Amino acid sequence: MKLCNTAAAMSIFLSLTGRVASFIPSATRYAVNKSVASTSTLQNLSAFTSKSVIHSSTSRFMATKEAPVEEKADVLPTNDDEDLLKIRHSSAHVMAMAVQQVFPEAQTTIGPWIDNGFYYDFYFPETTDEETGETIPSRKLSDSDLKTVKKAMDKICGKNYPITREEVSREEAKARIEAIGEPFKLEILESIKTEPITIYHIGEEWWDLCAGPHVESTGKIPKKAIQLQNVAGAYWRGDENREMLQRIYATAWKEVPQLKAYKKMLVEAKKRDHRVLGKQLDLFSIQEDAGGGLVFWHPKGSKIRTKIEDFWKEAHIEDGYDIIYTPHIANLNLWKTSGHNDFYRDGMFQQMEVENEEYQIKPMNCPFHCLMYADELRSYRDLPIRWGELGTVYRYERSGTLHGLMRVRGFTQDDAHIFCLPDQLQDEIVGVLNLIETILSRFGFDDYEIMLSTQPDKSVGSDDIWGSATAALE
């Protein structure tokens, strides 16, 4: 079996299991029960870590262990609840209307619903003082501004404006957008490929390009179950070369008790923030003098990490894997051959010059494993070959996206590649799924989802190979 065939087939395979990050664009995601992630994880971790790992912090852990177990909170609704989704979507429109009432210079962009509420992005251009002619810098929203916007929202809800849908031609939509001076909406209109164009109105006061759905009127929005949370920066279209926008985040629920439960959850989550615990327990740090997103493991944290890595290695060796190690950099030509330089260049650091050749710090391990496989002739009798690596990789992330250990620029990932024959695929898939379950369950993760990624628009390998690999997954 050719190397490229094997690699293409296993890209789908590993994308399913979530054991390799981004050799082929992956939708893999684990949704873990939040009730499991706090106490059970620490208890299961302590099951295979020695007392010396956390010796100096025993009192802190014992306090957690001996604390009374809280009753399980009611599960908050999600956007699968269509009524809640409508509330959040309509609330985003009401907030945008309120912002433009309070700050007429504000230009609107997008305002989608998200997991716990919604957000809306605004652009505040520089303005000119009509009396003096002086240029006024663009407005920076503050907490007091959010209070003012919320009061305006409450008034809009209180007036019970009808929310109505209108279909117009592309030309009509463009003319209306130009008439109110909303340049970002023109870009949004250009990105809409279907017709007719749909517009949602709030009474006769305000409108927006939108596909819906929405509540029937602003009076249907439970205004006391909505809270504006904070302001953050965001580039238009995620492009750092475009305008910097101001994003207002908000949470929205069907009733006040749900909002209270959500706020309580945030308070509890803050207490358990891994960044806070990491510092309190002296486990790790991120030294800004060295650069953002680069993790320093302290002695205590390193002991825990070593125990976890030893468990990982033992589990893989028992399952028939050989452990390998690969370099942290390679000649740029390798990344060009693998396609990473074309597909993932935006997520890679700049190259470095070594003796008149360009080298790339690795964003992933896949080409290295494939290079090793191709280094010698192999018989079909050698297959399957299972290689596992705790590979440290580096990816360019904008500073505004960095977040503790959750979003970093350098990290070590559980990475493996399996080279096998087509008729071995299904058995290998089952084997990897069993291994994943073994490892996740050891940490108390027993409620999760696996999302399947199949062939993306940009891919390596022939359609026939992708087809056979996908069939094996089925």
Side-chain angles (χ1 to χ4, degrees), residues 267-429:
V267 171
E268 294 301 316
K270 188 173 183 180
K271 294 177 184 177
R272 295 164 174 78
D273 189 318
H274 77 279
R275 294 168 296 178
V276 175
L277 292 175
K279 185 174 183 179
Q280 290 177 345
L281 301 176
D282 193 22
L283 301 178
F284 70 90
S285 64
I286 295 176
Q287 303 290 335
E288 294 303 328
D289 287 345
L294 301 173
V295 181
F296 289 72
W297 289 96
H298 296 195
K300 295 175 187 175
S302 295
K303 289 178 182 178
I304 295 176
R305 172 172 169 166
T306 298
K307 291 292 183 181
I308 295 173
E309 290 180 354
D310 288 346
F311 163 65
W312 176 91
K313 290 176 183 176
E314 291 171 6
H316 279 72
I317 291 172
E318 186 177 339
D319 220 44
Y321 286 79
D322 290 316
I323 307 302
I324 63 174
Y325 298 89
T326 58
H328 288 233
I329 64 172
N331 192 295
L332 180 62
N333 288 330
L334 178 62
W335 307 103
K336 290 180 178 178
T337 300
S338 68
H340 289 92
N341 193 58
D342 293 328
F343 297 153
Y344 301 106
R345 188 181 305 159
D346 291 343
M348 297 163 62
F349 280 101
Q350 292 295 316
Q351 294 78 41
M352 64 187 80
E353 186 173 313
V354 180
E355 296 181 348
N356 298 321
E357 292 190 288
E358 289 186 299
Y359 277 71
Q360 174 69 55
I361 190 167
K362 68 176 179 180
M364 49 201 70
N365 304 291
C366 313
F368 289 19
H369 292 199
C370 293
L371 201 61
M372 287 175 60
Y373 179 87
D375 191 45
E376 63 180 87
L377 292 175
R378 302 180 188 275
S379 167
Y380 70 91
R381 295 185 181 89
D382 298 329
L383 303 178
I385 292 175
R386 306 184 187 103
W387 287 341
E389 177 180 13
L390 290 172
T392 300
V393 297
Y394 304 88
R395 299 184 186 169
Y396 172 64
E397 299 281 359
R398 294 182 176 89
S399 58
T401 67
L402 300 175
H403 180 77
L405 297 179
M406 307 302 291
R407 194 74 178 265
V408 293
R409 287 174 173 159
F411 59 93
T412 301
Q413 63 182 17
D414 169 359
D415 200 348
H417 288 80
I418 299 175
F419 302 90
C420 64
L421 297 169
D423 60 6
Q424 296 172 330
L425 266 177
Q426 292 189 20
D427 289 341
E428 292 302 311
I429 290 171

Side-chain angles (χ1 to χ4, degrees), residues 76-100:
L76 290 170
T78 68
N79 287 327
D80 291 335
D81 184 329
E82 187 174 355
D83 290 336
L84 177 59
L85 187 147
K86 288 179 178 179
I87 288 171
R88 289 173 172 172
H89 200 183
S90 299
S91 297
H93 280 221
V94 168
M95 183 176 74
M97 176 178 172
V99 167
Q100 290 193 311

Side-chain angles (χ1 to χ4, degrees), residues 55-254:
H55 176 72
S56 65
S57 301
T58 300
S59 60
R60 293 185 183 128
F61 276 92
M62 290 301 292
T64 302
K65 184 176 179 181
E66 299 299 327
V69 178
E70 296 182 6
E71 294 183 7
K72 186 177 180 180
D74 292 335
V75 177
L76 290 170
T78 68
N79 287 327
D80 291 335
D81 184 329
E82 187 174 355
D83 290 336
L84 177 59
L85 187 147
K86 288 179 178 179
I87 288 171
R88 289 173 172 172
H89 200 183
S90 299
S91 297
H93 280 221
V94 168
M95 183 176 74
M97 176 178 172
V99 167
Q100 290 193 311
Q101 284 183 347
V102 177
F103 309 113
E105 76 275 16
Q107 296 175 3
T108 57
T109 61
I110 59 172
W113 64 79
I114 53 178
D115 285 347
N116 298 308
F118 60 92
Y119 70 78
Y120 212 109
D121 289 346
F122 301 92
Y123 178 66
F124 290 86
E126 293 181 343
T127 56
T128 302
D129 188 300
E130 294 181 357
E131 295 183 0
T132 64
E134 294 181 355
T135 299
I136 302 174
S138 59
R139 181 181 300 276
K140 304 297 182 185
L141 293 174
S142 64
D143 290 342
S144 62
D145 291 331
L146 295 188
K147 293 178 182 178
T148 304
V149 170
K150 182 58 169 65
K151 289 180 181 179
M153 289 177 65
D154 291 347
K155 290 181 179 179
I156 294 169
C157 292
K159 292 184 178 181
N160 198 26
Y161 291 116
I163 299 179
T164 56
R165 182 177 186 272
E166 180 187 12
E167 295 182 354
V168 299
S169 67
R170 185 175 298 275
E171 293 72 20
E172 174 64 18
K174 182 178 180 180
R176 293 189 190 184
I177 293 170
E178 289 175 339
I180 60 175
E182 291 277 15
F184 297 99
K185 292 297 181 184
L186 283 176
E187 290 190 45
I188 294 173
L189 178 63
E190 291 174 1
S191 68
I192 299 174
K193 304 304 180 183
T194 58
E195 294 195 40
I197 305 300
T198 55
I199 289 175
Y200 274 84
H201 296 264
I202 297 179
E204 299 295 329
E205 310 297 316
W206 193 86
W207 60 269
D208 198 359
L209 296 173
C210 187
H214 288 281
V215 298
E216 293 80 7
S217 67
T218 59
K220 298 289 186 180
I221 297 174
K223 59 186 180 182
K224 292 185 178 181
I226 297 171
Q227 179 175 314
L228 305 191
Q229 295 175 293
N230 62 283
V231 179
Y235 290 109
W236 173 236
R237 301 293 198 191
D239 185 347
E240 60 187 2
N241 296 313
R242 294 295 305 272
E243 296 85 347
M244 171 60 77
L245 310 176
Q246 294 188 64
R247 175 174 297 176
I248 300 179
Y249 281 102
T251 187
W253 303 91
K254 295 170 70 174

